Amino acid sequence: AQSVAQPEDQVNVAEGNPLTVKCTYSVSGNPYLFWYVQYPNRGLQFLLKYITGDNLVKGSYGFEAEFNKSQTSFHLKKPSALVSDSALYFCAVRDVDAGNMLTFGGGTRLMVKP
Amino acid sequence: EAGVAQSPRYKIIEKRQSVAFWCNPISGHATLYWYQQILGQGPKLLIQFQNNGVVDDSQLPKDRFSAERLKGVDSTLKIQPAKLEDSAVYLCASMGPGQGGTGELFFGEGSRLTVL
């Protein structure tokens, strides 16, 4: 069975500072990894994904994430946070060998303060 | 390109009543998903369709939930009878064809259900 853990319910950061939102995963095969963002009363929006190749992937709005196979992690990062980045962030995993089911973590609320 | 359309956006019912949610995916998207998102939690997959066939419904409470995608395009999710614990946002998502599992899901804005 595949699973995702987001160990922090909330991350607080000052505007202009770097941010990291943590994610670890568990799959039996090779993972496809995704990050989504959710604004209030909205559906989920795709940010970025890791499929294969370079461990550092870049996505929308200046976000990037680093795949670390040995630590089974896929942390989301941004060099300089904006107040408008405040939202709910979800990490998700798909086991390459287990169909197209996408499993989500519990989410991390990012609060960026001016 | 039009996104994933869902309706209604909000629904309030009393327990034991029934409710239906509708989803129209992005044109040409063969794979359609229904997720349940309870407040403060991540989305949980209820059912996955490939065209008009069910791929995975292992987490669908089949005694009260049903879903169909008769013509392989739009889909309906029904709850009958509703329980208090069904209060949640029901998210529909679709994925393009031929992605081999690498594709991202495109989500609708969701249907928020409140069961009183």
Side-chain angles (χ1 to χ4, degrees):
Chain A
Q2 55 197 56
S3 65
V4 178
Q6 294 182 241
E8 304 153 315
D9 289 338
Q10 183 162 316
V11 170
N12 298 308
V13 64
E15 187 174 32
N17 283 0
L19 69 87
T20 299
V21 182
K22 295 179 180 178
C23 169
T24 59
Y25 66 90
S26 174
V27 295
S28 55
N30 291 312
Y32 293 152
L33 293 155
F34 302 78
W35 275 101
Y36 287 81
V37 60
Q38 187 175 38
Y39 297 99
N41 298 315
R42 303 297 298 274
L44 279 72
Q45 296 178 30
F46 169 74
L47 275 180
L48 51 79
K49 64 182 177 183
Y50 171 80
I51 302 302
T52 188
D54 193 346
N55 288 344
L56 183 66
V57 293
K58 295 185 184 295
S60 306
Y61 312 120
F63 283 93
E64 58 189 30
E66 186 166 13
F67 171 61
N68 187 316
K69 188 172 184 178
S70 63
Q71 297 185 4
T72 61
S73 67
F74 189 55
H75 301 331
L76 182 70
K77 300 181 180 183
K78 187 173 182 180
S80 179
L82 299 172
V83 172
S84 56
D85 293 330
S86 298
L88 200 53
Y89 290 82
F90 291 96
C91 182
V93 68
R94 181 182 287 141
D95 188 332
V96 174
D97 302 318
N100 285 339
M101 186 172 78
L102 192 64
T103 299
F104 285 85
T108 298
R109 183 167 300 281
L110 174 66
M111 297 291 290
V112 182
K113 298 184 178 180
Chain B
E1 179 182 73
V4 177
Q6 289 190 247
S7 66
R9 286 293 313 276
Y10 304 93
K11 189 74 176 178
I12 300 174
I13 62 173
E14 296 189 349
K15 60 183 179 183
R16 291 188 289 275
Q17 288 186 323
S18 63
V19 63
F21 302 112
W22 174 82
C23 171
N24 191 25
I26 293 172
S27 178
H29 280 198
T31 310
L32 185 148
Y33 306 79
W34 282 102
Y35 281 85
Q36 180 193 58
Q37 186 179 18
I38 293 172
L39 187 64
Q41 299 181 18
K44 185 185 84 171
L45 179 68
L46 292 175
I47 189 167
Q48 175 185 337
F49 291 95
Q50 182 73 20
N51 296 309
N52 62 348
V54 175
V55 174
D56 187 333
D57 64 356
S58 58
Q59 299 186 87
L60 187 73
K62 298 180 186 63
D63 58 333
R64 298 182 300 104
F65 286 66
S66 65
E68 60 184 14
R69 194 184 184 199
L70 294 176
K71 297 182 179 179
V73 180
D74 56 347
S75 175
T76 302
L77 176 70
K78 296 180 180 178
I79 307 174
Q80 181 180 12
K83 292 186 175 181
L84 296 177
E85 58 262 36
D86 297 333
S87 294
V89 177
Y90 291 86
L91 295 167
C92 179
S94 67
M95 186 173 73
Q99 300 270 1
T102 65
E104 61 268 26
L105 271 59
F106 294 84
F107 283 84
E109 295 198 330
S111 294
R112 181 180 297 275
L113 174 65
T114 302
V115 182
L116 303 176

